[in-house]
Amino acid sequence: MTLPPIKPGKIVTMGEVLVDIMAVERGRGFHEPLNLKGPFPGGAPAIFVSQVARLGHPAGIIAGIGDDDFGWLTVERLKRDGVDVSAVRVHDDHVTATAFVRYREDGERDFLFNLARSAAGRIELDAPARALLAECGHFHIMGSSLFSFHLIDEVRKAIEIVKANGATVSFDPNIRKEMMDIAEMRAGVELMLQDCDIFLPSGPELLIPTASRSEEEAIAALFALGISAIVVKRAARGASYYDATRAIDMPGYKVTEIDPTGAGDCFGATFITCLRQGMEIEACLRNANAAGALAVSRRGAMEGISTLVEMQALIARSAPA
Ligand code: ATP
Ligand code: MG
């Protein structure tokens, strides 16, 4: 199957906007008083959509915040980046989602989320959301947003609307193996695999959804589901692109990793945006790898977002002499 034609319009996403509050000291969990730093605006869909806007492509998000400082902080940040926030609903009976994050000594992270019972758990296709979907040319979903059957239902309805209008759909699973044991996550991933045109897994996420034993087996199974293109993120090693006729590997850029948060989101946003701007797949991969590399070289989820000029400067610096 080849990539569907590009329908003009906004890149729209739907899901959690939240604030990250980070432990300053490394260690495990939050069992004792700690020095914390934050709030920082975040949430995978928020990072994704801000990166799209930073590349100059029209972008919008369907989300929910509480009428509180955490919510307004994230909305102000999205607005500053040029994101259409007309479908961010303010709930006066729920608070903005939060993620407390602590790094372990080995670089893994512990999270303490307030998500399902926050304003982010109340997202629904109200009139402003439907108005934004009417302007949508491409719709992107992150696996982290499929945390309740309510959200999965709303995402399903949104996909029906945008597909009927000729828009394309992409999905970044952002899942770990254990999550497939959670009924909501499994249902959400299955829905998205049926409906997405472009699938953007990272490493093992390629094999998990189809329970495949090799990349070849997984890619064949995903094409059989009707997916047109697969982009595999391979951290420092870069990324690979697959469609019915092409397999393209693109090496990553050498940078010092400071904070991996948001690399996959900036990568995905850049790949999708460049593709919609008519660039060749190789150029989309190079820019997306540069976006991911710039994201890991800066601390803070949304601080890692960069412009095309910054991406191209990194590419030029890294070119073989
Ligand atoms: P996330 O932790 O945000 O979910 P991910 O697991 O989805 O990330 P990764 O493969 O870790 O995705 O990173 C996405 C992209 O960012 C990679 O494909 C690569 O282009 C770039 N990248 C990530 N880590 C590094 C690194 N250490 N050095 C250079 N580039 C990197
Ligand atoms: Mg990811």
Side-chain angles (χ1 to χ4, degrees):
M1 207 178 282
T2 50
L3 279 171
I6 293 168
K7 175 188 155 62
K10 287 182 178 158
I11 295 179
V12 175
T13 187
M14 171 165 168
E16 68 283 8
V17 297
L18 51 78
V19 293
D20 285 317
I21 298 170
M22 329 267 296
V24 175
E25 298 118 40
R26 290 186 171 234
R28 281 179 174 260
F30 295 92
H31 297 277
E32 68 270 318
L34 289 171
N35 291 316
L36 301 168
K37 197 163 179 209
F40 298 106
I47 301 167
F48 174 93
V49 78
S50 272
Q51 177 65 83
V52 171
R54 194 69 74 86
L55 289 168
H57 193 294
I61 186 166
I62 299 169
I65 59 162
D67 185 9
D68 50 44
D69 287 355
F70 289 170
W72 292 114
L73 164 85
T74 55
V75 167
E76 285 309 318
R77 172 57 201 260
L78 290 167
K79 261 201 224 164
R80 250 199 336 273
D81 281 337
V83 176
D84 179 341
V85 295
S86 59
V88 178
R89 175 137 157 212
V90 183
H91 295 264
D92 46 22
D93 52 351
H94 286 79
V95 294
T96 300
T98 51
F100 288 78
V101 189
R102 188 175 189 190
Y103 281 88
R104 295 187 186 176
E105 292 301 343
D106 62 4
E108 289 297 303
R109 288 166 290 180
D110 289 307
F111 289 98
L112 201 161
F113 284 112
N114 168 27
L115 205 50
R117 288 178 214 86
S118 76
R122 313 293 308 162
I123 292 172
E124 57 187 30
L125 298 189
D126 54 12
R130 285 172 187 273
L132 182 61
L133 290 176
E135 298 176 328
C136 172
H138 182 87
F139 188 61
H140 179 80
I141 286 293
M142 315 278 325
S144 57
S145 310
L146 305 171
F147 54 78
S148 71
F149 286 118
H150 167 72
L151 258 294
I152 294 166
D153 260 359
E154 296 304 296
V155 166
R156 179 184 291 119
K157 282 190 252 168
I159 289 175
E160 273 169 24
I161 294 170
V162 298
K163 285 219 148 182
N165 291 340
T168 42
V169 175
S170 53
F171 177 52
D172 179 340
N174 244 333
I175 42 161
R176 274 169 258 121
K177 195 161 172 287
E178 308 80 63
M179 289 187 187
M180 291 302 277
D181 297 334
I182 304 170
E184 285 87 339
M185 285 286 174
R186 175 165 276 285
V189 169
E190 277 164 11
L191 164 74
M192 291 312 304
L193 289 183
Q194 291 299 327
D195 282 337
C196 78
D197 302 293
I198 304 175
F199 180 52
L200 298 140
S202 74
E205 292 172 352
L206 174 60
L207 309 189
I208 295 167
T210 53
S212 297
R213 279 156 308 179
S214 69
E215 291 206 344
E216 295 70 32
E217 189 185 321
I219 290 164
L222 292 163
F223 284 158
L225 287 171
I227 290 171
S228 310
I230 302 164
V231 188
V232 183
K233 292 165 277 171
R234 302 190 190 278
R237 287 188 294 125
S240 309
Y241 171 90
Y242 305 92
D243 65 19
T245 59
R246 288 173 291 184
I248 303 170
D249 290 317
M250 197 59 77
Y253 297 101
K254 212 169 166 46
V255 289
T256 305
E257 184 172 314
I258 308 279
D259 179 2
T261 314
D265 313 328
C266 292
F267 175 100
T270 303
F271 183 86
I272 297 290
T273 304
C274 292
L275 192 66
R276 289 179 56 77
Q277 288 172 339
M279 292 186 202
E280 297 293 337
I281 299 294
E282 286 82 355
C284 298
L285 285 172
R286 272 193 288 273
N287 288 332
N289 277 338
L294 289 166
V296 300
S297 62
R298 297 186 200 135
R299 193 176 307 281
M302 285 177 86
E303 303 325 302
I305 292 166
S306 46
T307 63
L308 190 59
V309 170
E310 290 170 304
M311 293 171 203
Q312 303 215 309
L314 174 62
I315 295 170
R317 270 203 308 281
S318 313

